[in-house]
Amino acid sequence: MGMDQICVIFGAGEYYADEPTVPAGAFVIAADGGLDHTRALGVTADVVIGDFDSLQGAKPTDTDHTIALPSEKDDPDLLSALKIGWSHGCREFHIYGALGGRIDHSISAIQLTALLAHHGGIGFLHGDGTIVTAICDGRLAFPANDVAPGRMVSVFSHSDTSTGVDEPGLKYELADGTLHSDTVQGVSNEFRQGVPSAISVRSGTLIVTFPLEAPTPQVTRYHGFTGDLGALDTDVSPILVRE
């Protein structure tokens, strides 16, 4: 499988009124209770993975395409799903059911978009009419669009400090700015209708939120990235305290 293949992951969280999209040829993973959603949508998952503690329906019986994980594990189901997609050559991930519901799951999913960005991948979390992503030492370029005023674009520093932050074409433009993880300066911006725009960072990692109806941004990375997400961990966590 090529590095340009898209991976679509279905999680167990909220789906709101958003309609999941599975591009032709995408590699599809159902993470735990995400299998309930693929079944309801009539989507066939290439791989099903999880400890199945959030699955409402019957457990999968196709052992050739199922990876069962222990409940007492280090990696959350979404990270395990990302590792599977990464090992199949995917570097662009569209993730449904990872936002909303439990706030800890949402925070975990946002952190995982940063992990992808640190290794040259990109993840888009879909939920409630909004997309959340992360960019590290790179640029998100949005074509001119007609997103309505009042639909917000927000930028946060995931790194302690992010430097060389540019936001050309947005309602409130920023040039060579510095953002900090404990200071909120980039919230509630907007696209300008008919104007191309971008969000970039020379050094650091940004978390970016934008409206679902905005065009998918083109990603540019300012240097090569190395490493991967690590091996799939199917063992019980060795750090747990046992009597």
Side-chain angles (χ1 to χ4, degrees):
M1 295 186 179
M3 296 299 181
D4 58 348
Q5 185 179 31
I6 292 174
C7 180
V8 179
I9 298 176
F10 290 84
E14 297 291 333
Y15 279 65
Y16 305 95
D18 301 343
E19 183 69 28
T21 299
V22 180
F27 186 68
V28 179
I29 303 175
D32 206 288
L35 180 59
D36 291 320
H37 295 281
T38 59
R39 286 169 171 167
L41 293 165
V43 174
T44 300
D46 295 290
V47 173
V48 180
I49 189 168
D51 56 16
F52 306 119
D53 61 344
S54 61
L55 182 67
Q56 300 298 311
K59 290 186 177 181
T61 57
D62 184 356
T63 55
D64 290 338
H65 297 88
T66 301
I67 301 173
L69 301 173
S71 58
E72 297 176 325
K73 59 187 185 300
D74 287 330
D75 291 350
D77 292 327
L78 179 54
L79 176 53
S80 296
L82 292 170
K83 287 181 174 181
I84 292 294
W86 190 280
S87 71
H88 279 74
C90 302
R91 296 296 181 267
E92 179 178 331
F93 297 81
H94 291 264
I95 304 159
Y96 296 89
L99 296 174
R102 285 178 50 180
I103 187 64
D104 54 340
H105 282 173
S106 296
I107 294 171
S108 170
I110 293 169
Q111 285 191 313
L112 289 176
T113 65
L115 175 65
L116 287 170
H118 292 163
H119 295 295
I122 189 160
F124 297 100
L125 307 175
H126 297 248
D128 200 20
T130 297
I131 292 179
V132 183
T133 190
I135 184 71
C136 176
D137 300 355
R139 184 174 190 261
L140 301 174
F142 294 88
N145 58 75
D146 59 357
V147 172
R151 296 286 285 141
M152 298 304 175
V153 181
S154 294
V155 178
F156 307 89
S157 180
H158 185 269
S159 305
D160 287 344
T161 301
S162 294
T163 59
V165 179
D166 295 323
E167 298 180 19
L170 295 180
K171 181 177 180 180
Y172 305 107
E173 294 190 317
L174 179 64
D176 196 24
T178 298
L179 300 181
H180 302 278
S181 60
D182 59 356
T183 303
V184 179
Q185 295 174 301
V187 73
S188 298
N189 211 331
E190 298 181 41
F191 292 111
R192 292 157 55 196
Q193 290 188 311
V195 178
S197 59
I199 296 167
S200 63
V201 55
R202 185 175 61 251
S203 178
T205 302
L206 302 177
I207 302 297
V208 179
T209 72
F210 60 90
L212 174 65
E213 64 271 24
T216 300
Q218 179 181 356
V219 182
T220 300
R221 298 175 179 89
Y222 294 152
H223 58 77
F225 288 80
T226 60
D228 56 30
L229 306 186
L232 181 66
D233 186 356
T234 60
D235 296 328
V236 173
S237 173
I239 66 173
L240 295 176
V241 176
R242 301 182 183 279
E243 296 181 356

